[in-house]
Amino acid sequence: MATFQFELVSPEKLLFSGEVTQVDVPGEEGEFGVFAGHAPYIATLKPGVLTVYRDSGPVRVVVRGGFAEVGPNGLTVLAEQAALVDELDPNALAAAVRDAEEDLADAKDDAARDKARERLEQLQTLRAALTRSRWTKAPADVVPAASGVRITRSPSGGIPRPRAHKPAA
């Protein structure tokens, strides 16, 4: 199968750069697949799962916000936030949804309510996308209990990610 160049970049790092056979992108206007020779296209991303197909198998990445550009040199995705699905903890996502629901209920004014509602909708969209892509619900399948990893919530309300836990000295 024909391949093309794909790059996935977040503000933190270059997550992927290489030849791929297909990429499925969660666009605001709908999900779309990109193959070699795709027509030029620019799209905004919605929170969801981006799937990269390589000869060695598919890789699923959760993205939140950003842009995708298909050009003559391939596909570039500039994501506001991105994390491998395998790095996410379903319990942390469920806790983040509960926190967002509480934030919405506790909002004191319209601006706070709008911000909390947007955050909750993003998390619910992410949870639905992960469920559609057959994310296992068993936390042990994602992060082993003895791995020394805990989940932290980013101050900006980003994607819950595992972080190495260093026990207090």
Side-chain angles (χ1 to χ4, degrees):
M1 182 173 261
T3 63
F4 63 96
Q5 179 65 28
F6 170 64
E7 288 189 345
L8 174 59
V9 183
S10 76
E12 298 167 349
K13 63 183 175 179
L14 175 66
L15 288 146
F16 183 90
S17 179
E19 293 292 313
V20 299
T21 56
Q22 176 183 345
V23 179
D24 293 337
V25 183
E28 271 302 329
E29 301 293 323
E31 295 185 8
F32 61 96
V34 177
F35 294 88
H38 195 287
Y41 185 67
I42 296 177
T44 55
L45 302 179
K46 70 176 181 181
V49 177
L50 180 143
T51 306
V52 180
Y53 296 91
R54 306 178 297 173
D55 290 337
S56 60
V59 175
R60 296 178 309 152
V61 181
V62 173
V63 294
R64 180 171 172 233
F67 298 91
E69 179 182 12
V70 182
N73 297 327
L75 170 65
T76 301
V77 172
L78 305 171
E80 290 176 18
Q81 295 179 332
L84 293 172
V85 167
D86 293 342
E87 292 179 353
L88 299 179
D89 178 359
N91 291 332
L93 181 57
V97 169
R98 284 192 302 275
D99 288 347
E101 289 170 340
E102 290 172 10
D103 292 347
L104 180 58
D106 296 342
K108 303 280 187 221
D109 57 39
D110 288 342
R113 213 172 351 272
D114 288 344
K115 184 175 180 179
R117 184 177 295 112
E118 180 181 348
R119 172 77 178 130
L120 178 59
E121 288 171 0
Q122 289 175 342
L123 288 168
Q124 290 171 333
T125 299
L126 174 59
R127 183 173 55 189
L130 290 170
T131 301
R132 278 193 312 272
S133 63
R134 293 181 212 95
W135 189 24
T136 56
K137 296 189 183 202
D141 292 344
V142 180
V143 179
S147 69
V149 173
R150 69 178 175 177
I151 304 298
T152 59
R153 182 176 178 194
S154 98
S156 65
I159 298 170
R161 297 173 182 251
R163 299 286 186 231
H165 175 64
K166 295 181 182 178

